[in-house]
C-alpha cells in the first residue's frame, strides 16, 4: 500500500493511507467512545460554518502568524483540554469541531503535480480496520453507503475550509486582525495571568470602518461571524476557572503564556 505524503501531516494524524477497494475490501468502521488524541489539544481548527454554534461553548480565536486560521480554544494552557477527561470522553455539553469529527478521514493529494483529492485515513486509528464487527467500507467491491457519507462529509469540510480561508483573507485585507492579549486576575496571585500568542478582531478598527466596507461585510455574511468571535471571547475566564477546578490551572507565578500555537490545518 502506498502512503500519502507524510510530511507536514495535520494535527491528530500519524499517517495517511488512500482508501482502496483492493487493499481494504474487508475493512470496517467501528464506533469509539473516546478521542484520546484530543486530551492534550487545547486549540482546534474551526471553520466559519461553525462559529455560531461553537461560540456558546468556547472562545474562538485566530492563530498567530501570517497564515492565520480560526481556532476553538478548548483550554488556555498548552496540553489542557477542559472538555474531555483523561480518556478523551466528553465531560458534558460541548461543541466538537468538524475537524475532530472528520478524524481519521481526510481528503489529500496523492501526487504534488495533481489537484485531485483522494479519500484517505489514518491507519493508526482504532476506528478503522479489518474487524469482525462494524460497518463495511465496501460492498461487492463498491463504496458502501457509509463510505459515501464519509466522502460527502470530507468534501463539505474542504468547501467550508476554503470559505474560511477567504474570510480570514478579507479580515487581513481590511487590517481587522490584531495581536490578542487576555489578563485574568485571580485571588491566588497578586499579578494577573496574561495570555498571548493569538490574534483577534480589533474592535476599534471595526467601529471605524467606512460605510462601504461595513455594508460589504454585512452583505457577505462576515459581520455575524465577527460578532460570534467577539462574543465568544467572554468565555476566556470560564475556561480558566474550569482548568483550576480540574486541577489543571497555572500553578507558577503569573507570566505571559501562549494561548494558542499554530496547528497545521488541513
Amino acid at each position: 500500500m502506498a502512503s500519502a505524503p507524510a510530511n507536514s501531516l495535520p494535527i491528530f494524524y500519524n499517517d495517511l493511507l488512500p482508501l482502496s477497494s483492493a487493499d481494504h475490501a474487508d475493512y470496517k468502521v467501528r464506533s469509539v467512545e473516546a478521542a484520546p488524541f484530543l486530551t492534550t489539544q487545547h486549540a482546534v481548527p474551526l471553520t466559519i460554518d461553525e462559529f455560531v454554534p461553537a461560540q456558546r461553548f468556547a472562545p474562538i480565536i485566530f492563530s498567530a502568524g501570517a497564515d492565520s486560521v480560526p481556532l476553538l480554544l478548548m483550554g488556555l494552557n498548552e496540553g489542557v483540554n477542559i472538555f474531555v477527561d483523561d480518556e478523551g470522553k466528553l465531560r458534558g455539553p460541548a461543541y466538537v469541531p468538524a475537524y475532530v469529527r472528520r478524524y481519521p478521514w481526510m481528503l489529500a493529494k496523492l501526487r504534488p503535480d495533481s489537484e485531485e483529492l483522494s479519500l484517505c485515513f489514518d491507519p493508526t486509528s482504532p476506528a478503522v480496520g479489518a474487524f469482525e464487527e462494524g460497518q463495511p467500507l465496501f460492498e461487492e467491491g463498491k463504496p458502501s453507503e457509509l463510505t459515501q457519507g464519509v466522502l460527502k462529509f470530507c468534501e463539505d469540510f474542504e468547501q467550508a475550509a476554503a470559505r474560511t480561508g477567504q474570510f480570514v483573507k478579507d479580515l487581513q485585507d481590511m487590517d481587522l486582525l490584531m495581536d490578542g492579549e487576555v489578563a485574568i486576575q485571580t485571588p491566588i496571585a497578586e499579578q494577573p495571568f496574561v495570555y498571548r500568542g493569538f490574534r483577534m478582531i480589533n474592535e476599534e478598527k471595526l467601529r471605524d470602518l467606512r460605510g462601504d466596507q461595513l455594508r460589504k461585510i454585512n452583505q457577505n455574511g462576515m459581520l455575524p461571524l465577527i460578532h460570534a468571535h467577539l462574543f465568544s471571547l467572554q468565555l476566556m475566564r470560564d475556561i480558566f476557572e474550569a482548568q483550576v477546578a480540574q486541577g489543571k490551572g497555572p500553578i507558577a507565578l503569573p507570566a505571559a503564556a501562549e494561548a494558542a500555537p499554530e496547528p497545521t490545518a488541513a
Side-chain angles (χ1 to χ4, degrees), residues 10-13 35 37-48 50-51 54 58-63 69-75 80-84 95-103 157 164 259-266:
I11 55 172
F12 304 155
Y13 294 82
F37 56 84
L38 196 56
T39 57
T40 58
Q41 189 63 44
H42 74 296
V44 178
L46 194 73
T47 69
I48 57 174
E50 306 173 89
F51 273 30
I60 300 168
I61 61 170
F62 297 85
S63 63
V69 296
L71 301 168
L72 190 67
L73 200 56
M74 306 184 83
V80 176
N81 188 322
I82 68 160
F83 292 97
V84 294
Y95 182 81
V96 180
Y99 187 98
V100 177
R101 289 180 273 124
R102 178 186 60 163
Y103 183 82
F157 181 86
T164 303
E262 298 177 52
T264 302

Side-chain angles (χ1 to χ4, degrees), residues 29-264:
V29 172
R30 62 184 180 188
S31 60
V32 293
E33 298 181 353
F37 56 84
L38 196 56
T39 57
T40 58
Q41 189 63 44
H42 74 296
V44 178
L46 194 73
T47 69
I48 57 174
D49 295 31
E50 306 173 89
F51 273 30
V52 172
Q55 58 92 24
R56 296 173 48 231
F57 295 94
I60 300 168
I61 61 170
F62 297 85
S63 63
D67 298 323
S68 191
V69 296
L71 301 168
L72 190 67
L73 200 56
M74 306 184 83
L76 293 192
N77 291 86
E78 192 166 351
V80 176
N81 188 322
I82 68 160
F83 292 97
V84 294
D85 61 20
D86 292 339
E87 296 179 356
K89 296 180 180 180
L90 286 175
R91 294 179 180 271
Y95 182 81
V96 180
Y99 187 98
V100 177
R101 289 180 273 124
R102 178 186 60 163
Y103 183 82
W105 305 97
M106 71 175 294
L107 294 177
K109 294 181 185 179
L110 299 185
R111 300 200 314 265
D113 59 344
S114 173
E115 293 299 315
E116 183 179 357
L117 297 175
S118 298
L119 183 61
C120 300
F121 68 99
D122 184 347
T124 69
S125 168
V128 183
F131 311 130
E132 292 185 4
E133 298 181 354
Q135 296 178 274
L137 289 170
F138 295 98
E139 295 174 338
E140 298 181 355
K142 296 182 180 180
S144 66
E145 185 175 344
L146 169 70
T147 301
Q148 294 176 41
V150 168
L151 178 60
K152 177 66 164 57
F153 185 91
C154 290
E155 290 174 340
D156 290 346
F157 181 86
E158 291 298 322
Q159 294 170 6
R163 290 191 292 271
T164 303
Q166 184 59 52
F167 170 73
V168 174
K169 182 181 182 301
D170 290 341
L171 292 178
Q172 292 172 328
D173 289 346
M174 289 184 287
D175 196 27
L176 286 178
L177 287 178
M178 69 175 187
D179 292 338
E181 179 177 303
V182 173
I184 299 178
Q185 186 70 58
T186 71
I188 65 175
E190 293 182 3
Q191 299 298 319
F193 290 90
V194 180
Y195 289 89
R196 302 189 182 100
F198 66 99
R199 307 200 79 195
M200 58 185 287
I201 298 292
N202 187 324
E203 291 190 67
E204 183 176 345
K205 288 188 176 181
L206 179 64
R207 288 192 296 267
D208 291 340
L209 284 179
R210 300 192 313 268
D212 60 323
Q213 293 176 311
L214 188 59
R215 183 166 57 253
K216 175 185 176 181
I217 65 172
N218 184 44
Q219 291 176 341
N220 66 13
M222 288 179 64
L223 197 56
L225 301 175
I226 290 172
H227 287 152
H229 152 68
L230 292 173
F231 292 152
S232 76
L233 297 179
Q234 301 300 316
L235 297 173
M236 286 280 195
R237 175 170 284 277
D238 293 352
I239 301 295
F240 182 90
E241 291 176 351
Q243 285 188 180
V244 173
Q246 294 175 16
K248 299 177 181 179
I251 56 176
L253 291 175
E258 293 297 311
E262 298 177 52
T264 302

